[in-house]
Structure formats: structure tokens, C-alpha cells
Amino acid sequence: MLEIKNLHVKLEEEEKQILKGVDLTVEAGKVHAIMGPNGSGKSTLSYVLSGRDGYEVTEGSATLEGADLLEMEPEERAAAGIFLAFQYPVEIPGVGNMTFLRTAVNAQRKARGEEELSAADFLKEVRAKAKSLKIDADMLKRPVNVGFSGGEKKRNEILQMAMLEPKMCILDETDSGLDVDAMKLVAEGVNALRDEGRGFLVITHYQRLLDHIKPDVVHIMADGRIVKTGGPELALEVENNGYADILAEVN
Amino acid sequence: MAALDQTQVKEGVDQETVDAVREVSTYKYGWDTDIEMEYAPKGVNPDIVRLISDKNEEPEWMTEWRLAAFERWTKMDEPNWAMVHYPKIDFQDQYYYARPKSMEEKPKSLDEVDPKLLATYEKLGIPLKEQMILAGVEGAEDMPAEGRKVAVDAVFDSVSVGTTFQDELAKHGVIFCSISEAIREHPELVKKYLGTVVPVSDNFYATLNSAVFSDGSFVYIPPGVRCPMELSTYFRINAENTGQFERTLIIADKGSYVSYLEGCTAPQRDTAQLHAAVVEIIIEEDAEVKYSTVQNWFPGDENGKGGIYNFVTKRADCRGDRSKVMWTQVETGSAVTWKYPSCILRGDESQGEFYSIAITNNMQQADTGTKMVHLGKNTKSRIVSKGISAGKAQNTYRGLVSMHPKAKDSRNYTQCDSLLIGDKCGAHTVPYIEVRNNSSRVEHEATTSKVDDDQLFYCRQRGMDEEEAVALVVNGFCKDVLQALPMEFAMEAQQLVAISLEGSVG
């Protein structure tokens, strides 16, 4: 599904190279986790895949079902099926959460040449999906992420994911700032979306999220490269021994 | 896209392509109506003033009133304190009166109006039929029909073409007609109120308007009457090199209520055109008036060529105790806007509110705001202004809050927010505050922000294109003001916000 080959990325404004040759393939139906110390390039990878400004790809490729992601605008990538759950969801004052969701859903449908969802169908769907994430009616009416708690923001990201039904979900440090209960709720939301047609890339610093979202493959990223790949046991190794041992072993 | 409407489409070019090209033009009302017009000779002088008065079949006192205004105007200087710059206007190089030939004989009913004029309003989305709902409004069909009628007075260049629902309104004692008709039919009311809120001597443009105003709307709501439908006037400038000088007079007698809407558009032309209107509102004891404007005059092209110069004086006089006025304006058009809808809070416990969205893109300039003059005790005012600048545009909020010595225990709250899109535009806030008693309170808050790249990326990651994302963020920014608009206008205004900002990013 998602195929990244020899991806080299630097900051547009500076010479600093952040990704130094990332190779990664996420198959449909699989959950891949990327772990790694701060500054290893995990978040950069998520931004480059989703098309944020400020990065320059100097080498390599990234494709989704064979389509060249790097040639596309962010909204085209979204319509093609890339979804990024933000580490820091952005506040949009004055724009109701529901309005935002509906605009997004219909924008993607339009881009794919599908009919817009009717108001009634949209409402029915959003209510059902919100309920399972314990998002109440009030939260749907409030402006996007404004005054939301950390947990509410992350649940809201998952609600957007559920509504947009992407092919490839990238979760950037979704566990940051969450207590155990909030994390469980978010993980349940993600697990409900696991499907054989959908791939997941879960970026996390800690292993604890992976107790709830069981990965099929775990990658360790360090200094702009994936340095080790293994099964779920790799996450446990990190949890017990930290990154130092793995990094030492690689070097 | 006037050219496309008139030019024969070349063979082999399919309609779809033509439509697509037409859609690209961001100003949707830029076409013109090909209609035979009669003009007064160019320029302004006492003869022209007499001619306009004569065309309107006015009584002598009105002609004298105009001539006195003209005399005064010749001794006045154009104001230059606003933060707007434009080439000097040659007041003798324009037409002051233009009317469709077909309007020479005043049509007795809408059925007699030239079909070309009716078609013009139809195309603008303002069909001059006595129908229940405004056509083309999303969701309107789901609403109960009762209370959703909108009466329209349609002004085309210098004349009113027709007014709908007059008979039904008359049953309630409401007078809604063109000002020229009011001068002829209701001289006692016009004499009593005209020029009492905006005096003839008020300012350069108001004085000019007093001399040469050709038409506009007149509203009288009798005591205790809640106007059974929204009233609206739609101003259309069509003729070239012609100024539009309309005059609106609204009187809400004791304990009455009316909501009034105003819309305006003009064709896309290379030369700038002048629009200098005066609106006077008188609000008696316990009465309330809501006045909403969606101003969408042609803004000029992206290089600043053409467009309307909009110099408007609007003022409401809350004469009676506990009277209320609310101005809501969405200003998206015009090359230059100079406009300060104001409230004189004369009655005790009277209230004035001003909600404004001013959007400037490309080379547009807007200097707009309000004056809240507190004269009575316990008076309250609230100002919410949202200025949005994109391209190379300049946007200024200029507002006066004045608490007079007798305005004890009065309050004002002012909130001015500016939003910048791009780095070549400007936003300015110029508040004047005078408090001349020690029991009143004035609060002023101002913010300036930029459309945040993170917000745009967030929206785009969810699938919206850049323009959709900007429109969404800006609509959010304007929400407090959009909410103050009547439902029909709120929808239109939201779309207008998006259209006005097309091409402002990327």
C-alpha cells in the first residue's frame, strides 16, 4: 500500500538533512509502528508523507498504491487516502467541529468524483461514530479543537479518521499527553478501524500505546534511518532497555 | 465577464468551456444589461439639480432644498483624512442621472416593467415577484413559509424600478416605496424627517447627495407595528460613467420593529464609478430597527483598475427612550470604501450595535467603522468589527465612541479584529474615545492575526483545497458578525467571503 524508498529529506530553509534514506513498506491490513528517540525524524516522515510545507525531498520516492505522493498537493494526498492524526491538533476558532468534518468529507468526495453526502446521512454517520468515541453533541458543536482537553483533541482526530475512512492512517505521537483511560479510548477507536484494506503507521515514543494497538511490525528509527525492524517484541525490548542498547548494537 | 455574455461564441467551443471560463471570474455580477437609457447632460450644476427634481415630479420645497444643498456643496472641500488613496475625482465628468427609457412612463405595477429590467434582477438572484422565499437560498425550502416573505425595492441606476408586496404591507399601515414616490405621496412625513439625522451640511458627500439624489427607498412603520416581512432594497449600477446617489429614509415609530436589508452590485468596468448614498434612520420610543448590508460593488480588477468609489453616510438616530438599532454590514466590494454607519443614542436606555466584516483583496482600500454617540442615560453600544486584508489591500477600522456629560452610566464594548492573508496587505485600527462623565464605561479590545499556516495545512490534510481552507478559517473569524445577519443573508455572505478571497493565497 504505502511504499517509501530511499527517502532523503532536508529542511527547505537550512542545509540540515533530517531523513537520510528511509525504506519502508506498509501492506494493506497491517499495523506498522515506528519508534525512536527524539529527533530521529519520525514526525518529519509523517509531515513529508502528508505534504506539509518546509521540507525538500532530495532523493527517493513515496507512493500510495503506486501513485507518486510527492507530486501531489496535501489535499490530493488526503483524497488519495492519506490521513495524518496530528500530534498537536490545530485550533480553528469560530468553525464548528461538525461544519469542519462535513466540509472535509465532501471535499474528499468531490475530489474523487463522488456525490456529496446528504446532510441527513452525514448527521446519522457522525453521531454514530462520535458515540463510540464518547464524543458528545456539545463537542461536535464547539469550534474545532478550541478549548478541548488533550484527550478530547486526540479523540477528535480519531473521529475525523473514522469519518474520512482513509486507506493509510498515520498516527503521530497520538499517545502524547493522554492518561491511561483516554489512551484506551483512542486505541479502541483505532482498532475499530482496522481493516484488511487499510494500513496504519503508528509513530510513538513509548511502547505503552502498542499495548493497546497491537502492531504487526515494529521499526526503530534513529538519525533519519530505520535501523532495526522486528515484531511486537522489539517494542518490549525498547520498553525494558531503552534505545541505547539497540542503537549501540546497530552502530 | 460582460464580454462573454455579449460575444458570439466561436463555433466549436462548447458551452461547458464558456461556462467554465465564466466561472473563473471571481466577480459574478460583472455583466451588464444592454438597455436604452436616457441621461442628464454630464456634470453637476443648478440646472442638473432642477432636472433631477423635475424628472421626479417633485414639489417646489424639495427643489429648493436640493438647490440650497448644491449651493453649500460648491463651497465644501473633499475630506482627506481617511486612509484611502485614489485619483482625484472630476465631479463634472460624470452623469448624475441615468434612467432606462422604458421608465419614462412610470409603470403602474410590476407587470408593466420592462422585461429586460425584470430579467436583470432575476439574473442577480432577486426576482421581482411576490414570492414566498428568496430563490436559490440553500435550505430555504425547508423553512416554514410564514414570515419568510421579503419585500424588495429595486433601484436601477437613478430610478426605482418597482417595489413588491406594497399592498400587503399597506394593510399593516407600513409604507414601503421609493423615496421619489414618498416625496410625491407622503410629503408630510418626508418633510418632517428628511435631513434631520444627516443634515444637509453634514459632509462633502452627504451634501452632494442632498443636491442630486435621484432615488432610494422610503420606509415608515406605524406605532406598535411589527413589520410582517423583511424589507430590502437592491441597488444596481448599470450605466457607464454614472454615479449613483441614493437616499434612504427609514422611520420606525413608537414601539415598532423592522428588519431591512440592502444589497448592491455593479458591472465590471475599466473606469471607476462613484456611489455616494445617504441613509437616515429615525427610531422612536421602544422601537427597533435592524439594518443589514451586503455590499458587493465591483471592486476593480487585480491591478486596481475600475471599481466603485463608495462614499456613504449612514446614521441612525435613537430618538426615543429604549429604542434600538443594529447595523450589520458585510463589505466585500468597492475599490474604495469610506463608510461609518453610526448611532446617535439620544433616548435614555437606547442601544446601538454595529457588526461589520470588511474584506479587501488585491488593490482594494477600505476605511470603515462606526460612531457611537451616547447622549442619553444608561445607553449601551457594542461594536464588533472584523477586517480581513489580502493581496495588496489596505483595511482600516476607524471608530468613535463618545460619552457625553449627560450620558450617565452608559457603556460601550468594542472589539476590533484584523486578519491578514499574505504579507503585502495592511490592517489599521484607529479608535477615538471620548468620555465626558465619570460613570460610563468604555472597553476596547483589538487583535491582529495572520491566517496561520498550521490551520491551512490542517484543513488541507483533511482534503480541502487552499481556497476552501482559507474561506473556512475566515468564515470562522467572522462568525460573530455572520450570526447577526438574517438567515438568507448569512448564507449569501458566507459564500461571498469565499469568493472575495479567491486567488488571495498561493
Side-chain angles (χ1 to χ4, degrees), chain A residues 63-97:
Chain A
T63 57
L64 183 72
E65 295 184 311
D68 185 355
L69 284 175
L70 304 177
E71 282 296 306
M72 296 183 207
E73 294 293 333
E75 61 272 24
E76 293 169 333
R77 301 182 196 204
I82 294 276
F83 181 92
L84 172 63
F86 284 61
Q87 183 177 3
Y88 305 107
V90 181
E91 297 182 2
I92 309 179
V95 177
N97 217 0

Side-chain angles (χ1 to χ4, degrees), chain A residues 50-52 73-75 78 82-84 86 90-91 93-95 100 104 107-108 145 157 160, chain B residues 138 452-466 468 472-473 475-477 479:
Chain A
S50 54
R52 189 190 182 115
E73 294 293 333
E75 61 272 24
I82 294 276
F83 181 92
L84 172 63
F86 284 61
V90 181
E91 297 182 2
V95 177
F100 180 81
Q108 291 203 11
N145 293 323
E157 293 291 288
Q160 293 177 9
Chain B
E138 196 190 338
D452 183 30
D453 287 343
D454 286 342
Q455 286 175 333
L456 293 185
F457 177 62
Y458 191 64
C459 294
R460 294 179 76 188
Q461 207 302 304
R462 298 304 185 242
M464 299 168 217
D465 65 31
E466 204 162 12
E468 217 173 345
L472 190 83
V473 171
N475 268 310
F477 172 78
K479 196 184 175 202

Side-chain angles (χ1 to χ4, degrees), chain B residues 94-257:
Chain B
Q94 5 218 330
Y95 296 105
Y96 285 78
Y97 189 83
R99 114 179 138 181
K101 270 238 165 89
S102 61
M103 292 299 292
E104 204 172 329
E105 277 292 309
K106 291 195 174 54
K108 287 188 188 60
S109 73
L110 286 170
D111 301 338
E112 291 179 14
V113 173
D114 183 348
K116 260 191 185 169
L117 289 170
L118 294 178
T120 300
Y121 286 91
E122 185 89 43
K123 195 169 166 189
L124 290 168
I126 318 289
L128 296 181
K129 290 180 209 148
E130 302 204 339
Q131 56 182 16
M132 299 304 266
I133 49 170
L134 278 179
V137 174
E138 196 190 338
E141 59 276 8
D142 305 331
M143 300 291 292
E146 199 47 46
R148 305 216 353 91
K149 291 175 186 166
V150 178
V152 182
D153 182 25
V155 177
F156 188 86
D157 291 324
S158 303
V159 290
S160 167
V161 168
T163 311
T164 61
F165 287 114
Q166 274 183 317
D167 295 343
E168 190 172 337
L169 288 165
K171 282 183 206 150
H172 298 265
V174 173
I175 304 171
F176 181 40
C177 61
S178 68
I179 190 104
S180 56
E181 189 181 329
I183 291 167
R184 290 192 301 270
E185 310 291 330
H186 307 282
E188 69 299 340
L189 284 172
V190 176
K191 248 182 175 167
K192 185 174 170 191
Y193 292 106
L194 188 74
T196 62
V197 185
V198 179
V200 170
S201 58
D202 194 78
N203 69 71
F204 183 81
Y205 302 107
T207 307
L208 176 62
N209 175 287
S210 301
V212 301
F213 75 86
S214 50
D215 223 333
S217 298
F218 176 84
V219 175
Y220 174 77
I221 316 287
V225 171
R226 191 178 169 90
C227 188
M229 63 185 88
E230 309 250 4
L231 304 184
S232 73
T233 304
Y234 196 92
F235 294 100
R236 175 75 175 168
I237 297 180
N238 188 64
E240 246 178 310
N241 298 320
T242 302
Q244 192 175 54
F245 303 90
E246 88 258 7
R247 186 106 193 174
T248 297
L249 181 58
I250 299 174
I251 302 140
D253 216 325
K254 288 179 184 171
S256 67
Y257 169 86

